[in-house]
Every structure is written in C-alpha cells, then in structure tokens.
Amino acid sequence: MSKFAIHLSFNVISCEGCGIKRIRGVPCADCERRPEPWEVDSAALCRRQRAVEAQQILAQAADQSEHRELGAPEFLHAEVYAALHTWMTGFFDAVSAAAESQEGAQRLKDSVTELVGLRAALHRADDRRPMRQLISALRGLIAELESMVGAYLETLLASTPLQAQNHGARAQRHLDAATEAITRVESVSEAVEILTHQRDASRTQAQLLQLALGSAQQPNLLALDSWGRDSLWEITGSRGTAGHGVFFGICRVIAQNLFNDGQFCYVLRRAYQLFSSSPKSS
C-alpha cells in the first residue's frame, strides 16, 4: 500500500538559556530550560484539540456506536470494500486538513465516525457459517485501520517532530498490515463465493484446486502434493501416499476460509492417532 505523510508545523523560538532554536512551549533539548508560562503555540494547541476530539469518537465501544446498515451477507465483501475505498481517501484528506486548519476538524471527526460506524456494523453482523471467516477477516482489517487512525491522531498530538515521526512510522506499519489483511479478506471471499454459489461440481473442484495452489504458494500439482504431504507429516507423523497431499491442500483451504483451521488440524491428528492405533478395527 502507498505511503502517506502528514505535514506539521512547529513554532520555533530562540532559547533564553543557551540561545539555540527550540520549539515554543517545549523544554530545550540542549540546556533543558523549561518554557516560560507565556509561551503558547496556538496553532499546535488547536491541532491537538482536533485530534483529542477525534480520539474520543474512536474510543467508543462497538456496541455503543451508531452503525450503518449492511446489505445481504452475500454482498458484504463488496459493500465493505466500496465503503473503505471511499473512506481511505476521505480520511487522508481529513487528516491533512486537520493538521493545518480548524476547517479540517469536522471532516476528521466525520471520517473517524464513519469508520467507527462500519466497525459497529461488522460487530453486529451475522457471523454464522459460511460467513464466519469472512466476517472475522473483515473485522481484522477494520482493527488494523483503527490502529492506523489512532497512530495518525497521535501524530497530530505530537509536541516535537521526532515524536511525530515515530507515530507516523507506526501508522505506516498498520497501513502495511492492512494490505495483508486485505489479501486475507480476498482469499476468504473467493472461497465463500466458490462454495456457496458455484453449482457445477467440476468447476468447483477446479476452482478449489486453484485456490489451494495459491494458498500453499505452489506452482503445480506435483509441488502441491509434496507440500501437502509434508504438512500431513507435521500434523500426523505420516506423509500418506501420492495424491494425499493434493487432497489435503483442498481440505485445508476450505477449513481456513470457511471453518476452523486449528480445529481441522486437531481432528485430523486425533483421527489418525485413533485409526493407526487400531488398524484392524479401521
């Protein structure tokens, strides 16, 4: 995901203790002389007040926030993506505006309110199967964006350029993590689409196979089979026979995107232990 920078201004004056330039209202970094009571950076104070107001909105509990109404579950992925695409551009514009003038204060609060409303809607969304993993992935994406927003608001609160740079770097890390979360959402959404809307069995099989190849990051069926059998060894202590790795890869991608991957691996391991301990009864 692309990088975003906020431009902040700080009022600089000469320190009466050592004579170097320092930020108004901040202790001198060289002689540690504390600022005089009359030293007020009015622009910075207003910027921080705008950030505090937005922080209060962001801190609202999900079950106490007003939320937008989401459509039918099958359109959830597309609807949330469309909302976030518009929101991202609006938020970055609002942060830049709030950093420079009072006129941006309301835009910033409106943008944060929109994200909080989307979070609240996903909090209330029906997360029963087959939508459970998709809802979980979307909530994870929103959580990263919330953390990103929080870090950018901390940037507006910064009293020195170094503090602002540190908070800005943290915001960028959350922005990068949101990119990874988007990849996860897209993978789950594709699996849900295949298993809930595809009616042709042969096409379902082909699409799941393609999804398994992508999930395992393998170039072909032979590589997928080898990867799958290695994974089986890690889970059960047995590599099975030729073809078991491909079958495992397909089952694993279904478990990851529709069910519970940890539970799938646990049941697989326990089932193998049961049948291998009593081969005659099996």
Side-chain angles (χ1 to χ4, degrees):
M1 189 168 284
S2 59
K3 295 183 181 296
F4 171 72
I6 301 175
H7 299 284
L8 303 179
S9 61
F10 295 89
N11 194 317
V12 177
I13 61 174
S14 295
C15 177
E16 294 185 2
C18 63
I20 71 162
K21 297 292 185 181
R22 66 171 175 83
I23 298 173
R24 181 186 292 273
V26 176
C28 180
D30 277 33
C31 69
E32 299 184 351
R33 181 186 178 91
R34 297 191 62 79
E36 299 295 336
W38 50 263
E39 290 182 21
V40 177
D41 186 344
S42 57
L45 286 177
C46 291
R47 182 175 68 225
R48 292 172 193 144
Q49 181 59 37
R50 294 191 284 271
V52 168
E53 291 172 356
Q55 280 183 324
Q56 292 172 346
I57 297 172
L58 188 64
Q60 294 177 6
D63 57 357
Q64 297 177 352
S65 308
E66 294 185 8
H67 66 284
R68 59 183 293 165
E69 294 295 332
L70 296 176
E74 56 267 30
F75 303 120
L76 184 63
H77 171 233
E79 186 175 352
V80 171
Y81 261 34
L84 286 178
H85 179 74
T86 303
W87 176 83
M88 288 286 283
T89 302
F91 171 73
F92 290 138
D93 289 345
V95 171
S96 295
E100 297 172 1
S101 67
Q102 183 62 33
E103 286 70 24
Q106 189 59 49
R107 290 170 59 188
L108 181 60
K109 290 191 290 186
D110 289 345
S111 183
V112 175
T113 298
E114 185 178 354
L115 181 65
V116 168
L118 193 56
R119 177 194 64 185
L122 285 171
H123 176 77
R124 293 172 171 82
D126 186 353
D127 60 357
R128 291 176 295 181
R129 296 190 181 103
M131 305 300 292
R132 176 169 297 173
Q133 292 300 325
L134 180 57
I135 295 294
S136 176
L138 286 169
R139 287 172 179 168
L141 171 58
I142 294 296
E144 284 296 345
L145 293 176
E146 278 188 275
S147 297
M148 178 199 74
V149 169
Y152 278 127
L153 295 180
E154 290 288 349
T155 303
L156 295 181
L157 287 168
S159 57
T160 67
L162 180 59
Q163 290 179 0
Q165 288 173 2
N166 290 337
H167 291 307
R170 182 162 61 89
Q172 184 63 49
R173 288 194 294 271
H174 286 297
L175 185 57
D176 293 339
T179 302
E180 297 179 8
I182 288 173
T183 301
R184 167 66 177 158
V185 169
E186 290 175 344
S187 175
V188 176
S189 177
E190 184 178 358
V192 171
E193 177 70 21
I194 292 171
L195 292 167
T196 59
H197 293 86
Q198 180 57 259
R199 296 292 180 261
D200 187 309
S202 61
R203 298 185 71 177
T204 297
Q205 185 179 29
Q207 289 174 332
L208 284 175
L209 193 56
Q210 195 64 39
L211 198 60
L213 286 166
S215 177
Q217 297 183 330
Q218 300 301 320
N220 52 55
L221 291 180
L222 289 176
L224 177 63
D225 191 53
S226 178
W227 170 88
R229 294 178 68 187
D230 288 343
S231 299
L232 280 172
W233 171 262
E234 293 176 1
I235 296 170
T236 67
S238 171
R239 298 187 78 250
T241 59
H244 283 171
V246 173
F247 182 66
F248 169 81
I250 292 175
C251 292
R252 184 74 180 272
V253 82
I254 293 173
Q256 288 174 333
N257 294 307
L258 264 73
F259 302 109
N260 184 310
D261 184 52
Q263 188 68 14
F264 166 74
C265 293
Y266 171 78
V267 171
L268 183 62
R269 180 172 58 254
R270 293 290 293 149
Y272 180 79
Q273 290 171 347
L274 174 64
F275 289 118
S276 60
S277 64
S278 306
K280 292 184 180 178
S281 62
S282 63

